[in-house]
Amino acid sequence: MASSSSLVSPLCNQSQSPLLHWVGDRRKAFISPPCNGGSATSKDGGAFEPCNEYYSSKNGSFSSFFGSKNVSFNINHKHPRLNRGVARSGQAMAVAVEPAREIMTKQKPPTKQRRIVVTGMGVVTPLGHDPDVFYNNLLEGASGISEIEAFDCAQFPTRIAGEIKSLSADGWITPKLSKRMDKFMLYMLVAGKKALEDGGVTEDVMEELDKEKCGVLIGSAMGGMKVFNDAIEALRISYRKMNPFCVPFATTNMGSAMLAMDLGWMGPNYSISTACATSNFCILNAANHMIRGEADMMLCGGSDAAIIPIGISFLSHLRAFNFPFVNRDGFVMGEGAGVLLLEELEHAKRRGATIYAEFLGGSFTCDAYHMTEPHPDGNKLDLYYYKL
């Protein structure tokens, strides 16, 4: 610690150790000793005042610190740490004397939010395949629940479902494609095209549309379960018996993709799979795409066809179904598709479309409670607002 005084007062004439002599030499490289025209350190801690000879010296290392522009900077290659300290000191002073700059932030001009309306509806349900027939059956209290006829379900505790007994795809889908695809895709394509027909989108209107601004967002909770299950059964015999399209036709997004390819629509296209809330998520996401200006027209909704042995068995095992003659609540499996044609308001007005309702907004929530049961309080629900 004796060397600390020597570092503070390098001008002391007292005898010093070799280490202190070296330190003093290093100090001299930065601060010139007192000379004519200069003053030493004062008792109150003031700094050395450099003399005129210092500014004209070749070793003027603090030229940027003292403000001289004519003095060259002498770099010490043996001790780079000292050089770095000098450079930082000079930069710090340079920043300190710079005038403050006013920071300008760019703000986006306010834009008017686009309004979204419903101009078409299409359904494929156990209560009818036309919106008016479907709605009237609901008002009359008709039930679409019946005994399952697609397969023998005597071994299952649940033998009822909302099953579609028949559906003709003539005029909507080519016979070859309808035989290959899963029923969830079949329902989706028929309901989607029915929504376009209901919305007055004729061939002439279709030709005038900006197809890069038209999209499809129709989801499915379970996708093509039947076509995938049939492929597994066929594999027990031979892989040659499998449907070559079993994997792509099983994915939930393939229905939206097939419908978009059929229509030539090149806007947003994907699917969402969120169990019973799938269609709600698709509707809100489709509306958000249009609000952001990414689309002018979108088909959105959901489709499912899971009334097959594996679909009934796993939900029965989860005790998610309503079992007959058992004092408990649950749901009944159903199948079908529902599709809305959403359109930007001004776009719909220009083509003279019939407007059923206006979409005002919605929100995404999660009750974080159970896989199949809703929260007892029911305080976390998907909210959607429509103006009729």
Side-chain angles (χ1 to χ4, degrees):
M1 295 301 293
S3 61
S4 63
S5 62
S6 299
L7 293 176
V8 175
S9 304
L11 301 179
C12 180
N13 294 325
Q14 298 176 0
S15 60
Q16 300 175 351
S17 64
L19 175 62
L20 297 182
H21 280 295
W22 180 86
V23 174
D25 293 339
R26 294 302 91 199
R27 294 279 294 179
K28 292 177 183 179
F30 292 101
I31 303 177
S32 64
C35 59
N36 294 332
S39 61
T41 306
S42 61
K43 294 182 180 180
D44 58 357
F48 288 102
E49 178 66 22
C51 62
N52 295 330
E53 295 179 4
Y54 171 79
Y55 292 114
S56 61
S57 172
K58 295 182 179 180
N59 294 329
S61 302
F62 265 26
S63 59
S64 61
F65 180 84
F66 290 111
S68 175
K69 298 181 180 180
N70 300 323
V71 180
S72 60
F73 196 92
N74 185 22
I75 299 177
N76 192 325
H77 295 283
K78 293 183 180 180
H79 301 282
R81 291 185 179 179
L82 301 178
N83 299 328
R84 289 199 297 269
V86 173
R88 284 195 295 268
S89 299
Q91 292 173 358
M93 290 301 296
V95 172
V97 297
E98 285 185 358
R101 296 181 180 179
E102 184 179 357
I103 300 176
M104 301 295 294
T105 58
K106 294 183 178 180
Q107 296 182 353
K108 292 184 178 180
T111 57
K112 186 178 180 181
Q113 180 169 311
R114 290 156 55 96
R115 297 171 65 183
I116 310 303
V117 294
V118 181
T119 57
M121 298 181 290
V123 295
V124 175
T125 76
L127 290 178
H129 310 321
D130 180 84
D132 291 332
V133 174
F134 169 69
Y135 187 62
N136 290 331
N137 282 331
L138 288 177
L139 293 179
E140 294 174 2
S143 174
I145 307 302
S146 62
E147 291 187 1
I148 298 174
E149 299 178 1
F151 61 94
D152 184 8
C153 57
Q155 60 177 328
F156 300 108
T158 296
R159 295 179 291 277
I160 59 174
E163 187 180 36
I164 295 177
K165 305 302 182 182
S166 63
L167 173 66
S168 175
D170 295 343
W172 303 107
I173 306 173
T174 60
K176 183 178 181 180
L177 186 59
S178 63
K179 291 179 180 179
R180 287 182 173 180
M181 64 175 51
D182 191 273
K183 287 200 299 181
F184 99 95
M185 294 177 59
L186 185 69
Y187 299 159
M188 184 186 298
L189 266 66
V190 173
K193 291 187 176 182
K194 283 179 176 289
L196 290 176
E197 183 184 55
D198 182 64
V201 182
T202 62
E203 293 183 1
D204 294 336
V205 174
M206 187 73 74
E207 292 179 358
E208 297 177 357
L209 295 176
D210 181 0
K211 295 186 178 180
E212 292 184 355
K213 288 286 190 128
C214 299
V216 182
L217 209 174
I218 307 175
S220 177
M222 299 183 182
M225 292 186 67
K226 186 177 188 305
V227 71
F228 195 75
N229 183 75
D230 292 345
I232 294 174
E233 294 298 326
L235 185 60
R236 299 178 186 275
I237 303 173
S238 171
Y239 77 94
R240 296 181 182 275
K241 299 291 185 179
M242 294 174 59
N243 182 346
F245 302 99
C246 63
V247 173
F249 282 176
T251 58
T252 61
N253 71 297
M254 191 52 63
S256 293
M258 294 294 293
L259 182 55
M261 287 188 287
D262 194 352
L263 301 175
W265 286 13
M266 296 174 285
N269 185 286
Y270 59 98
S271 69
I272 296 173
S273 180
T274 51
C276 301
T278 293
S279 296
N280 287 343
F281 275 86
C282 290
I283 293 171
L284 181 51
N285 274 276
N288 287 337
H289 282 298
M290 300 174 68
I291 291 172
R292 293 193 297 264
E294 299 167 356
D296 294 329
M297 180 182 292
M298 289 199 68
L299 289 169
C300 56
S303 176
D304 266 300
I307 303 178
I308 59 175
I310 188 173
I312 297 296
S313 61
F314 93 86
L315 286 172
S316 297
H317 200 49
L318 276 175
R319 298 187 63 82
F321 283 149
N322 186 305
F323 300 108
F325 312 112
V326 177
N327 187 19
R328 73 175 302 277
D329 292 329
F331 68 87
V332 177
M333 175 71 80
E335 63 180 0
V339 178
L340 295 179
L341 176 62
L342 297 187
E343 195 168 353
E344 194 272 327
L345 177 60
E346 298 303 323
H347 187 275
K349 287 181 177 179
R350 284 196 296 269
R351 68 180 190 88
T354 300
I355 296 175
Y356 291 107
E358 180 179 5
F359 180 86
L360 300 182
S363 66
F364 299 124
T365 62
C366 174
D367 59 9
Y369 176 70
H370 192 269
M371 284 193 298
T372 58
E373 295 180 8
H375 197 284
D377 296 338
N379 57 356
K380 292 294 183 183
L381 300 174
D382 295 327
L383 301 178
Y384 295 86
Y385 305 98
Y386 293 90
K387 180 181 179 182
L388 301 177

